PDB file of all heavy atoms in Angstrom:
ATOM      1  N   ILE A   1     108.019  81.781 104.521  1.00  0.00           N
ATOM      2  CA  ILE A   1     106.905  81.971 103.506  1.00  0.00           C
ATOM      3  C   ILE A   1     106.062  80.635 103.703  1.00  0.00           C
ATOM      4  O   ILE A   1     106.607  79.533 103.597  1.00  0.00           O
ATOM      5  CB  ILE A   1     107.295  82.147 102.121  1.00  0.00           C
ATOM      6  CG1 ILE A   1     108.201  83.381 101.980  1.00  0.00           C
ATOM      7  CG2 ILE A   1     106.090  82.338 101.100  1.00  0.00           C
ATOM      8  CD1 ILE A   1     107.457  84.787 102.388  1.00  0.00           C
ATOM      9  N   TYR A   2     104.660  80.833 103.828  1.00  0.00           N
ATOM     10  CA  TYR A   2     103.838  79.650 103.820  1.00  0.00           C
ATOM     11  C   TYR A   2     103.053  79.685 102.576  1.00  0.00           C
ATOM     12  O   TYR A   2     103.015  80.602 101.748  1.00  0.00           O
ATOM     13  CB  TYR A   2     102.854  79.759 105.048  1.00  0.00           C
ATOM     14  CG  TYR A   2     103.692  79.508 106.353  1.00  0.00           C
ATOM     15  CD1 TYR A   2     103.687  80.638 107.260  1.00  0.00           C
ATOM     16  CD2 TYR A   2     104.138  78.344 106.811  1.00  0.00           C
ATOM     17  CE1 TYR A   2     104.441  80.542 108.423  1.00  0.00           C
ATOM     18  CE2 TYR A   2     104.817  78.157 107.838  1.00  0.00           C
ATOM     19  CZ  TYR A   2     105.007  79.230 108.738  1.00  0.00           C
ATOM     20  OH  TYR A   2     105.602  79.102 109.832  1.00  0.00           O
ATOM     21  N   ASP A   3     102.337  78.558 102.274  1.00  0.00           N
ATOM     22  CA  ASP A   3     101.507  78.415 100.988  1.00  0.00           C
ATOM     23  C   ASP A   3     100.516  79.616 100.773  1.00  0.00           C
ATOM     24  O   ASP A   3     100.341  80.128  99.609  1.00  0.00           O
ATOM     25  CB  ASP A   3     100.759  77.135 100.952  1.00  0.00           C
ATOM     26  CG  ASP A   3     101.588  75.923 100.653  1.00  0.00           C
ATOM     27  OD1 ASP A   3     102.530  76.140 100.011  1.00  0.00           O
ATOM     28  OD2 ASP A   3     101.247  74.751 101.052  1.00  0.00           O
ATOM     29  N   HIS A   4      99.828  80.078 101.912  1.00  0.00           N
ATOM     30  CA  HIS A   4      98.831  81.144 101.740  1.00  0.00           C
ATOM     31  C   HIS A   4      99.561  82.403 101.416  1.00  0.00           C
ATOM     32  O   HIS A   4      98.809  83.420 101.042  1.00  0.00           O
ATOM     33  CB  HIS A   4      98.053  81.246 102.935  1.00  0.00           C
ATOM     34  CG  HIS A   4      98.718  81.603 104.144  1.00  0.00           C
ATOM     35  ND1 HIS A   4      99.158  80.712 105.096  1.00  0.00           N
ATOM     36  CD2 HIS A   4      99.032  82.806 104.527  1.00  0.00           C
ATOM     37  CE1 HIS A   4      99.718  81.255 106.112  1.00  0.00           C
ATOM     38  NE2 HIS A   4      99.719  82.585 105.865  1.00  0.00           N
ATOM     39  N   ASP A   5     100.862  82.543 101.576  1.00  0.00           N
ATOM     40  CA  ASP A   5     101.585  83.831 101.162  1.00  0.00           C
ATOM     41  C   ASP A   5     102.044  83.810  99.793  1.00  0.00           C
ATOM     42  O   ASP A   5     102.321  84.953  99.238  1.00  0.00           O
ATOM     43  CB  ASP A   5     102.921  84.014 102.057  1.00  0.00           C
ATOM     44  CG  ASP A   5     102.625  83.965 103.391  1.00  0.00           C
ATOM     45  OD1 ASP A   5     101.770  84.525 103.964  1.00  0.00           O
ATOM     46  OD2 ASP A   5     103.405  83.403 104.287  1.00  0.00           O
ATOM     47  N   LEU A   6     101.919  82.720  98.987  1.00  0.00           N
ATOM     48  CA  LEU A   6     102.543  82.669  97.668  1.00  0.00           C
ATOM     49  C   LEU A   6     101.964  83.686  96.698  1.00  0.00           C
ATOM     50  O   LEU A   6     102.693  84.294  95.915  1.00  0.00           O
ATOM     51  CB  LEU A   6     102.437  81.270  97.145  1.00  0.00           C
ATOM     52  CG  LEU A   6     103.412  80.230  97.898  1.00  0.00           C
ATOM     53  CD1 LEU A   6     103.038  78.879  97.205  1.00  0.00           C
ATOM     54  CD2 LEU A   6     104.844  80.572  97.882  1.00  0.00           C
ATOM     55  N   SER A   7     100.609  83.854  96.759  1.00  0.00           N
ATOM     56  CA  SER A   7      99.933  84.839  95.787  1.00  0.00           C
ATOM     57  C   SER A   7     100.383  86.180  96.113  1.00  0.00           C
ATOM     58  O   SER A   7     100.554  87.174  95.173  1.00  0.00           O
ATOM     59  CB  SER A   7      98.319  84.639  95.887  1.00  0.00           C
ATOM     60  OG  SER A   7      97.895  85.071  97.245  1.00  0.00           O
ATOM     61  N   ILE A   8     100.631  86.619  97.524  1.00  0.00           N
ATOM     62  CA  ILE A   8     101.008  87.943  97.970  1.00  0.00           C
ATOM     63  C   ILE A   8     102.492  88.153  97.360  1.00  0.00           C
ATOM     64  O   ILE A   8     102.728  89.102  96.953  1.00  0.00           O
ATOM     65  CB  ILE A   8     100.951  88.026  99.365  1.00  0.00           C
ATOM     66  CG1 ILE A   8      99.611  87.729  99.888  1.00  0.00           C
ATOM     67  CG2 ILE A   8     101.478  89.287  99.794  1.00  0.00           C
ATOM     68  CD1 ILE A   8      99.418  87.673 101.483  1.00  0.00           C
ATOM     69  N   ILE A   9     103.364  87.108  97.524  1.00  0.00           N
ATOM     70  CA  ILE A   9     104.645  87.212  97.067  1.00  0.00           C
ATOM     71  C   ILE A   9     104.631  87.656  95.496  1.00  0.00           C
ATOM     72  O   ILE A   9     105.521  88.422  95.180  1.00  0.00           O
ATOM     73  CB  ILE A   9     105.412  85.865  97.294  1.00  0.00           C
ATOM     74  CG1 ILE A   9     105.741  85.677  98.795  1.00  0.00           C
ATOM     75  CG2 ILE A   9     106.724  85.853  96.447  1.00  0.00           C
ATOM     76  CD1 ILE A   9     106.619  86.766  99.376  1.00  0.00           C
ATOM     77  N   LYS A  10     103.891  86.925  94.768  1.00  0.00           N
ATOM     78  CA  LYS A  10     104.022  87.117  93.314  1.00  0.00           C
ATOM     79  C   LYS A  10     103.443  88.598  93.052  1.00  0.00           C
ATOM     80  O   LYS A  10     104.023  89.266  92.187  1.00  0.00           O
ATOM     81  CB  LYS A  10     103.160  86.101  92.646  1.00  0.00           C
ATOM     82  CG  LYS A  10     103.743  84.644  92.703  1.00  0.00           C
ATOM     83  CD  LYS A  10     102.917  83.673  91.951  1.00  0.00           C
ATOM     84  CE  LYS A  10     103.492  82.210  91.978  1.00  0.00           C
ATOM     85  NZ  LYS A  10     102.678  81.316  91.303  1.00  0.00           N
ATOM     86  N   THR A  11     102.399  88.992  93.691  1.00  0.00           N
ATOM     87  CA  THR A  11     101.975  90.342  93.549  1.00  0.00           C
ATOM     88  C   THR A  11     102.932  91.309  93.902  1.00  0.00           C
ATOM     89  O   THR A  11     103.145  92.422  93.179  1.00  0.00           O
ATOM     90  CB  THR A  11     100.590  90.627  94.390  1.00  0.00           C
ATOM     91  OG1 THR A  11      99.630  89.681  94.045  1.00  0.00           O
ATOM     92  CG2 THR A  11     100.131  91.930  94.213  1.00  0.00           C
ATOM     93  N   LEU A  12     103.613  91.268  95.024  1.00  0.00           N
ATOM     94  CA  LEU A  12     104.648  92.177  95.437  1.00  0.00           C
ATOM     95  C   LEU A  12     105.787  92.271  94.521  1.00  0.00           C
ATOM     96  O   LEU A  12     106.217  93.385  94.000  1.00  0.00           O
ATOM     97  CB  LEU A  12     105.230  91.715  96.812  1.00  0.00           C
ATOM     98  CG  LEU A  12     104.316  91.984  98.037  1.00  0.00           C
ATOM     99  CD1 LEU A  12     104.998  91.328  99.248  1.00  0.00           C
ATOM    100  CD2 LEU A  12     104.069  93.497  98.262  1.00  0.00           C
ATOM    101  N   LEU A  13     106.254  91.091  94.072  1.00  0.00           N
ATOM    102  CA  LEU A  13     107.496  90.946  93.148  1.00  0.00           C
ATOM    103  C   LEU A  13     107.030  91.506  91.771  1.00  0.00           C
ATOM    104  O   LEU A  13     107.810  92.296  91.097  1.00  0.00           O
ATOM    105  CB  LEU A  13     108.007  89.618  92.933  1.00  0.00           C
ATOM    106  CG  LEU A  13     108.810  89.086  94.240  1.00  0.00           C
ATOM    107  CD1 LEU A  13     109.204  87.709  94.045  1.00  0.00           C
ATOM    108  CD2 LEU A  13     109.961  89.911  94.421  1.00  0.00           C
ATOM    109  N   ASP A  14     105.770  91.335  91.255  1.00  0.00           N
ATOM    110  CA  ASP A  14     105.380  91.824  89.849  1.00  0.00           C
ATOM    111  C   ASP A  14     105.295  93.353  90.040  1.00  0.00           C
ATOM    112  O   ASP A  14     105.863  94.025  89.129  1.00  0.00           O
ATOM    113  CB  ASP A  14     103.951  91.291  89.645  1.00  0.00           C
ATOM    114  CG  ASP A  14     104.000  89.890  89.169  1.00  0.00           C
ATOM    115  OD1 ASP A  14     105.087  89.307  88.730  1.00  0.00           O
ATOM    116  OD2 ASP A  14     102.927  89.130  89.208  1.00  0.00           O
ATOM    117  N   LYS A  15     104.841  93.984  91.095  1.00  0.00           N
ATOM    118  CA  LYS A  15     104.713  95.397  91.292  1.00  0.00           C
ATOM    119  C   LYS A  15     106.135  96.054  91.243  1.00  0.00           C
ATOM    120  O   LYS A  15     106.328  97.088  90.900  1.00  0.00           O
ATOM    121  CB  LYS A  15     103.841  95.746  92.509  1.00  0.00           C
ATOM    122  CG  LYS A  15     102.395  95.447  92.377  1.00  0.00           C
ATOM    123  CD  LYS A  15     101.746  96.427  91.363  1.00  0.00           C
ATOM    124  CE  LYS A  15     100.228  96.265  91.337  1.00  0.00           C
ATOM    125  NZ  LYS A  15      99.648  97.120  90.355  1.00  0.00           N
ATOM    126  N   ALA A  16     107.072  95.293  92.098  1.00  0.00           N
ATOM    127  CA  ALA A  16     108.387  95.733  92.353  1.00  0.00           C
ATOM    128  C   ALA A  16     108.991  95.852  90.858  1.00  0.00           C
ATOM    129  O   ALA A  16     109.824  96.753  90.703  1.00  0.00           O
ATOM    130  CB  ALA A  16     109.129  94.952  93.237  1.00  0.00           C
ATOM    131  N   LYS A  17     108.900  94.745  90.158  1.00  0.00           N
ATOM    132  CA  LYS A  17     109.487  94.813  88.785  1.00  0.00           C
ATOM    133  C   LYS A  17     108.924  95.767  87.957  1.00  0.00           C
ATOM    134  O   LYS A  17     109.606  96.459  87.174  1.00  0.00           O
ATOM    135  CB  LYS A  17     109.160  93.399  88.209  1.00  0.00           C
ATOM    136  CG  LYS A  17     109.672  93.140  86.665  1.00  0.00           C
ATOM    137  CD  LYS A  17     111.117  93.062  86.726  1.00  0.00           C
ATOM    138  CE  LYS A  17     111.510  92.694  85.236  1.00  0.00           C
ATOM    139  NZ  LYS A  17     113.021  92.563  85.075  1.00  0.00           N
ATOM    140  N   GLU A  18     107.596  96.052  87.923  1.00  0.00           N
ATOM    141  CA  GLU A  18     106.921  97.162  87.190  1.00  0.00           C
ATOM    142  C   GLU A  18     107.468  98.417  87.505  1.00  0.00           C
ATOM    143  O   GLU A  18     107.702  99.354  86.808  1.00  0.00           O
ATOM    144  CB  GLU A  18     105.535  96.978  87.490  1.00  0.00           C
ATOM    145  CG  GLU A  18     104.687  97.938  86.697  1.00  0.00           C
ATOM    146  CD  GLU A  18     103.173  97.843  87.055  1.00  0.00           C
ATOM    147  OE1 GLU A  18     102.675  96.760  87.105  1.00  0.00           O
ATOM    148  OE2 GLU A  18     102.479  98.902  87.287  1.00  0.00           O
ATOM    149  N   ALA A  19     107.782  98.689  88.925  1.00  0.00           N
ATOM    150  CA  ALA A  19     108.318  99.876  89.407  1.00  0.00           C
ATOM    151  C   ALA A  19     109.823 100.105  89.134  1.00  0.00           C
ATOM    152  O   ALA A  19     110.353 101.153  89.467  1.00  0.00           O
ATOM    153  CB  ALA A  19     107.951 100.191  90.893  1.00  0.00           C
ATOM    154  N   ASP A  20     110.378  99.089  88.671  1.00  0.00           N
ATOM    155  CA  ASP A  20     111.875  99.060  88.406  1.00  0.00           C
ATOM    156  C   ASP A  20     112.772  99.135  89.694  1.00  0.00           C
ATOM    157  O   ASP A  20     113.807  99.797  89.678  1.00  0.00           O
ATOM    158  CB  ASP A  20     112.345 100.296  87.367  1.00  0.00           C
ATOM    159  CG  ASP A  20     113.658  99.946  86.658  1.00  0.00           C
ATOM    160  OD1 ASP A  20     113.999  98.760  86.685  1.00  0.00           O
ATOM    161  OD2 ASP A  20     114.301 100.855  86.234  1.00  0.00           O
ATOM    162  N   ILE A  21     112.344  98.450  90.552  1.00  0.00           N
ATOM    163  CA  ILE A  21     112.985  98.216  91.783  1.00  0.00           C
ATOM    164  C   ILE A  21     114.250  97.452  91.528  1.00  0.00           C
ATOM    165  O   ILE A  21     114.201  96.410  90.784  1.00  0.00           O
ATOM    166  CB  ILE A  21     112.215  97.584  92.991  1.00  0.00           C
ATOM    167  CG1 ILE A  21     110.921  98.505  93.329  1.00  0.00           C
ATOM    168  CG2 ILE A  21     112.973  97.301  94.178  1.00  0.00           C
ATOM    169  CD1 ILE A  21     111.327  99.836  93.793  1.00  0.00           C
ATOM    170  N   THR A  22     115.456  97.767  92.046  1.00  0.00           N
ATOM    171  CA  THR A  22     116.682  97.110  91.676  1.00  0.00           C
ATOM    172  C   THR A  22     116.709  95.717  91.927  1.00  0.00           C
ATOM    173  O   THR A  22     117.105  94.907  91.147  1.00  0.00           O
ATOM    174  CB  THR A  22     117.880  97.863  92.365  1.00  0.00           C
ATOM    175  OG1 THR A  22     117.824  99.263  92.112  1.00  0.00           O
ATOM    176  CG2 THR A  22     119.174  97.359  91.803  1.00  0.00           C
ATOM    177  N   ALA A  23     116.371  95.242  93.281  1.00  0.00           N
ATOM    178  CA  ALA A  23     116.523  93.912  93.614  1.00  0.00           C
ATOM    179  C   ALA A  23     115.542  93.610  94.817  1.00  0.00           C
ATOM    180  O   ALA A  23     115.036  94.456  95.465  1.00  0.00           O
ATOM    181  CB  ALA A  23     117.981  93.635  93.929  1.00  0.00           C
ATOM    182  N   VAL A  24     115.498  92.331  95.002  1.00  0.00           N
ATOM    183  CA  VAL A  24     114.781  91.868  96.217  1.00  0.00           C
ATOM    184  C   VAL A  24     115.828  91.084  97.159  1.00  0.00           C
ATOM    185  O   VAL A  24     116.577  90.417  96.668  1.00  0.00           O
ATOM    186  CB  VAL A  24     113.569  90.872  95.766  1.00  0.00           C
ATOM    187  CG1 VAL A  24     114.114  89.622  95.131  1.00  0.00           C
ATOM    188  CG2 VAL A  24     112.793  90.451  97.002  1.00  0.00           C
ATOM    189  N   ILE A  25     115.610  91.385  98.517  1.00  0.00           N
ATOM    190  CA  ILE A  25     116.318  90.644  99.411  1.00  0.00           C
ATOM    191  C   ILE A  25     115.484  89.559  99.999  1.00  0.00           C
ATOM    192  O   ILE A  25     114.409  89.644 100.548  1.00  0.00           O
ATOM    193  CB  ILE A  25     116.669  91.558 100.576  1.00  0.00           C
ATOM    194  CG1 ILE A  25     117.637  92.711 100.058  1.00  0.00           C
ATOM    195  CG2 ILE A  25     117.519  90.857 101.863  1.00  0.00           C
ATOM    196  CD1 ILE A  25     117.767  93.852 101.116  1.00  0.00           C
ATOM    197  N   ALA A  26     115.996  88.249  99.763  1.00  0.00           N
ATOM    198  CA  ALA A  26     115.120  87.130 100.063  1.00  0.00           C
ATOM    199  C   ALA A  26     115.803  86.048 100.807  1.00  0.00           C
ATOM    200  O   ALA A  26     117.041  86.017 100.874  1.00  0.00           O
ATOM    201  CB  ALA A  26     114.658  86.589  98.697  1.00  0.00           C
ATOM    202  N   MET A  27     115.084  85.186 101.484  1.00  0.00           N
ATOM    203  CA  MET A  27     115.684  84.085 102.084  1.00  0.00           C
ATOM    204  C   MET A  27     114.994  82.657 101.826  1.00  0.00           C
ATOM    205  O   MET A  27     115.456  81.588 102.023  1.00  0.00           O
ATOM    206  CB  MET A  27     115.799  84.281 103.634  1.00  0.00           C
ATOM    207  CG  MET A  27     114.442  84.319 104.305  1.00  0.00           C
ATOM    208  SD  MET A  27     113.532  82.906 104.891  1.00  0.00           S
ATOM    209  CE  MET A  27     114.667  82.180 106.086  1.00  0.00           C
ATOM    210  N   ASP A  28     113.600  82.863 101.334  1.00  0.00           N
ATOM    211  CA  ASP A  28     112.886  81.565 101.080  1.00  0.00           C
ATOM    212  C   ASP A  28     113.028  81.405  99.522  1.00  0.00           C
ATOM    213  O   ASP A  28     112.920  82.213  98.705  1.00  0.00           O
ATOM    214  CB  ASP A  28     111.362  81.914 101.430  1.00  0.00           C
ATOM    215  CG  ASP A  28     110.616  80.693 101.351  1.00  0.00           C
ATOM    216  OD1 ASP A  28     110.249  80.274 100.319  1.00  0.00           O
ATOM    217  OD2 ASP A  28     110.225  80.046 102.500  1.00  0.00           O
ATOM    218  N   GLN A  29     113.122  79.998  99.288  1.00  0.00           N
ATOM    219  CA  GLN A  29     113.406  79.669  97.861  1.00  0.00           C
ATOM    220  C   GLN A  29     112.113  80.089  97.004  1.00  0.00           C
ATOM    221  O   GLN A  29     112.309  80.260  95.725  1.00  0.00           O
ATOM    222  CB  GLN A  29     113.665  78.052  97.857  1.00  0.00           C
ATOM    223  CG  GLN A  29     114.359  77.705  96.518  1.00  0.00           C
ATOM    224  CD  GLN A  29     115.738  78.301  96.264  1.00  0.00           C
ATOM    225  OE1 GLN A  29     116.520  78.430  97.164  1.00  0.00           O
ATOM    226  NE2 GLN A  29     115.978  78.846  95.145  1.00  0.00           N
ATOM    227  N   ALA A  30     110.969  80.096  97.440  1.00  0.00           N
ATOM    228  CA  ALA A  30     109.878  80.568  96.789  1.00  0.00           C
ATOM    229  C   ALA A  30     110.015  81.932  96.182  1.00  0.00           C
ATOM    230  O   ALA A  30     109.778  82.201  95.054  1.00  0.00           O
ATOM    231  CB  ALA A  30     108.597  80.433  97.583  1.00  0.00           C
ATOM    232  N   VAL A  31     110.435  82.796  97.116  1.00  0.00           N
ATOM    233  CA  VAL A  31     110.707  84.235  96.708  1.00  0.00           C
ATOM    234  C   VAL A  31     111.856  84.211  95.563  1.00  0.00           C
ATOM    235  O   VAL A  31     111.847  84.906  94.577  1.00  0.00           O
ATOM    236  CB  VAL A  31     111.072  85.052  97.790  1.00  0.00           C
ATOM    237  CG1 VAL A  31     111.306  86.545  97.388  1.00  0.00           C
ATOM    238  CG2 VAL A  31     109.987  85.010  98.916  1.00  0.00           C
ATOM    239  N   ILE A  32     112.976  83.522  95.861  1.00  0.00           N
ATOM    240  CA  ILE A  32     114.049  83.497  95.037  1.00  0.00           C
ATOM    241  C   ILE A  32     113.691  82.997  93.590  1.00  0.00           C
ATOM    242  O   ILE A  32     114.057  83.586  92.640  1.00  0.00           O
ATOM    243  CB  ILE A  32     115.158  82.600  95.556  1.00  0.00           C
ATOM    244  CG1 ILE A  32     115.736  83.312  96.890  1.00  0.00           C
ATOM    245  CG2 ILE A  32     116.350  82.435  94.625  1.00  0.00           C
ATOM    246  CD1 ILE A  32     116.585  82.347  97.690  1.00  0.00           C
ATOM    247  N   ALA A  33     112.907  81.926  93.498  1.00  0.00           N
ATOM    248  CA  ALA A  33     112.603  81.310  92.383  1.00  0.00           C
ATOM    249  C   ALA A  33     111.678  82.220  91.526  1.00  0.00           C
ATOM    250  O   ALA A  33     111.957  82.268  90.373  1.00  0.00           O
ATOM    251  CB  ALA A  33     111.901  80.042  92.558  1.00  0.00           C
ATOM    252  N   TYR A  34     110.670  82.853  92.237  1.00  0.00           N
ATOM    253  CA  TYR A  34     109.760  83.709  91.423  1.00  0.00           C
ATOM    254  C   TYR A  34     110.529  84.946  90.868  1.00  0.00           C
ATOM    255  O   TYR A  34     110.190  85.399  89.713  1.00  0.00           O
ATOM    256  CB  TYR A  34     108.496  84.007  92.096  1.00  0.00           C
ATOM    257  CG  TYR A  34     107.412  84.717  91.258  1.00  0.00           C
ATOM    258  CD1 TYR A  34     106.752  84.025  90.340  1.00  0.00           C
ATOM    259  CD2 TYR A  34     107.221  86.087  91.319  1.00  0.00           C
ATOM    260  CE1 TYR A  34     105.925  84.541  89.466  1.00  0.00           C
ATOM    261  CE2 TYR A  34     106.296  86.661  90.481  1.00  0.00           C
ATOM    262  CZ  TYR A  34     105.640  85.940  89.546  1.00  0.00           C
ATOM    263  OH  TYR A  34     104.664  86.459  88.738  1.00  0.00           O
ATOM    264  N   ALA A  35     111.335  85.480  91.656  1.00  0.00           N
ATOM    265  CA  ALA A  35     112.195  86.661  91.205  1.00  0.00           C
ATOM    266  C   ALA A  35     112.996  86.287  90.044  1.00  0.00           C
ATOM    267  O   ALA A  35     113.097  87.103  89.090  1.00  0.00           O
ATOM    268  CB  ALA A  35     112.996  87.126  92.375  1.00  0.00           C
ATOM    269  N   ARG A  36     113.586  85.175  90.109  1.00  0.00           N
ATOM    270  CA  ARG A  36     114.389  84.744  88.983  1.00  0.00           C
ATOM    271  C   ARG A  36     113.576  84.502  87.774  1.00  0.00           C
ATOM    272  O   ARG A  36     113.934  84.827  86.551  1.00  0.00           O
ATOM    273  CB  ARG A  36     115.240  83.483  89.304  1.00  0.00           C
ATOM    274  CG  ARG A  36     116.171  83.594  90.410  1.00  0.00           C
ATOM    275  CD  ARG A  36     117.496  84.293  89.924  1.00  0.00           C
ATOM    276  NE  ARG A  36     118.153  83.507  88.849  1.00  0.00           N
ATOM    277  CZ  ARG A  36     118.370  84.138  87.601  1.00  0.00           C
ATOM    278  NH1 ARG A  36     118.053  85.360  87.376  1.00  0.00           N
ATOM    279  NH2 ARG A  36     118.990  83.374  86.764  1.00  0.00           N
ATOM    280  N   GLN A  37     112.391  83.991  87.953  1.00  0.00           N
ATOM    281  CA  GLN A  37     111.395  83.805  86.821  1.00  0.00           C
ATOM    282  C   GLN A  37     111.058  84.980  86.069  1.00  0.00           C
ATOM    283  O   GLN A  37     110.912  84.983  84.850  1.00  0.00           O
ATOM    284  CB  GLN A  37     110.030  83.072  87.384  1.00  0.00           C
ATOM    285  CG  GLN A  37     109.109  82.694  86.335  1.00  0.00           C
ATOM    286  CD  GLN A  37     107.959  82.091  86.889  1.00  0.00           C
ATOM    287  OE1 GLN A  37     108.002  81.344  87.952  1.00  0.00           O
ATOM    288  NE2 GLN A  37     106.726  82.354  86.440  1.00  0.00           N
ATOM    289  N   ILE A  38     110.793  86.160  86.854  1.00  0.00           N
ATOM    290  CA  ILE A  38     110.549  87.410  86.190  1.00  0.00           C
ATOM    291  C   ILE A  38     111.699  88.272  85.871  1.00  0.00           C
ATOM    292  O   ILE A  38     111.530  89.338  85.448  1.00  0.00           O
ATOM    293  CB  ILE A  38     109.445  88.203  87.050  1.00  0.00           C
ATOM    294  CG1 ILE A  38     110.063  88.501  88.381  1.00  0.00           C
ATOM    295  CG2 ILE A  38     108.154  87.334  87.314  1.00  0.00           C
ATOM    296  CD1 ILE A  38     109.119  89.401  89.288  1.00  0.00           C
ATOM    297  N   GLY A  39     112.817  87.719  86.086  1.00  0.00           N
ATOM    298  CA  GLY A  39     114.072  88.475  85.713  1.00  0.00           C
ATOM    299  C   GLY A  39     114.425  89.606  86.638  1.00  0.00           C
ATOM    300  O   GLY A  39     115.061  90.621  86.327  1.00  0.00           O
ATOM    301  N   MET A  40     114.136  89.463  87.924  1.00  0.00           N
ATOM    302  CA  MET A  40     114.505  90.429  89.045  1.00  0.00           C
ATOM    303  C   MET A  40     115.714  90.057  89.811  1.00  0.00           C
ATOM    304  O   MET A  40     115.926  88.870  90.206  1.00  0.00           O
ATOM    305  CB  MET A  40     113.265  90.609  89.985  1.00  0.00           C
ATOM    306  CG  MET A  40     113.517  91.828  90.901  1.00  0.00           C
ATOM    307  SD  MET A  40     112.028  92.142  91.695  1.00  0.00           S
ATOM    308  CE  MET A  40     112.444  93.613  92.611  1.00  0.00           C
ATOM    309  N   GLU A  41     116.651  90.891  90.045  1.00  0.00           N
ATOM    310  CA  GLU A  41     117.914  90.556  90.753  1.00  0.00           C
ATOM    311  C   GLU A  41     117.577  90.160  92.167  1.00  0.00           C
ATOM    312  O   GLU A  41     116.727  90.653  92.845  1.00  0.00           O
ATOM    313  CB  GLU A  41     118.786  91.828  90.722  1.00  0.00           C
ATOM    314  CG  GLU A  41     120.227  91.601  91.378  1.00  0.00           C
ATOM    315  CD  GLU A  41     121.023  92.862  91.237  1.00  0.00           C
ATOM    316  OE1 GLU A  41     120.900  93.599  90.325  1.00  0.00           O
ATOM    317  OE2 GLU A  41     121.710  93.139  92.355  1.00  0.00           O
TER     318      GLU A  41
END
């Protein structure tokens, strides 16, 4: 993940959380941190 991807990441995770997707499979700490912030597994 690069800096210009961060807004996309947040949009994807927000929509996934809204759709009640069970979890996100991640490797970048930016994805992990935001998923934890919004309460996503």
Side-chain angles (χ1 to χ4, degrees):
I1 304 297
Y2 294 108
D3 280 336
H4 64 264
D5 299 319
L6 295 176
S7 61
I8 301 172
I9 286 298
K10 291 180 179 180
T11 300
L12 285 172
L13 287 173
D14 285 340
K15 289 289 187 181
K17 177 71 174 175
E18 184 182 312
D20 201 22
I21 298 302
T22 308
V24 59
I25 301 173
M27 63 85 70
D28 193 287
Q29 198 63 44
V31 179
I32 295 169
Y34 190 71
R36 295 285 300 123
Q37 182 182 322
I38 63 174
M40 192 169 184
E41 185 178 322

